[in-house]
């Protein structure tokens, strides 16, 4: 996996509050654009599992409904 610059989530549109991801040295970095100094680093396999869990709704119970 080649290194890359930060990629903004396509769901963020033109907003500044978004999740960003990049590949670095065979690993995956994640950060919240509002707090760019905090970076979570994981493996591509674990990142893929996280994305699958998100898509499957495994974490929906953590979300706060908007009214």
């Amino acid at each position: 996996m080649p290194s890359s610059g930060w990629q903004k989530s396509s769901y963020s549109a033109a907003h500044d509050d978004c999740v960003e991801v990049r590949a670095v040295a065979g690993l995956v970095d994640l950060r919240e654009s509002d707090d760019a100094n905090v970076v979570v680093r994981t493996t591509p396999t674990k990142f893929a599992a996280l994305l699958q869990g998100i898509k499957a709704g495994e974490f929906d119970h953590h979300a706060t409904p908007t009214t």
Side-chain angles (χ1 to χ4, degrees):
M1 178 182 293
S3 293
S4 61
W6 289 104
Q7 182 179 355
K8 181 177 167 181
S9 168
S10 61
Y11 287 96
S12 299
H15 303 287
D16 290 334
D17 52 343
C18 59
V19 174
E20 297 174 321
V21 63
R22 72 176 176 185
V24 176
L27 297 171
V28 177
D29 286 349
L30 297 148
R31 72 179 182 184
E32 168 63 42
S33 62
D34 290 346
D35 194 0
N37 293 324
V38 177
V39 176
V40 175
R41 180 167 283 175
T42 189
T43 66
T45 302
K46 289 181 180 179
F47 181 60
L50 173 67
L51 292 178
Q52 289 171 351
I54 291 169
K55 289 178 181 179
E58 288 182 34
F59 308 103
D60 289 354
H61 64 283
H62 294 291
T64 304
T66 56
T67 56

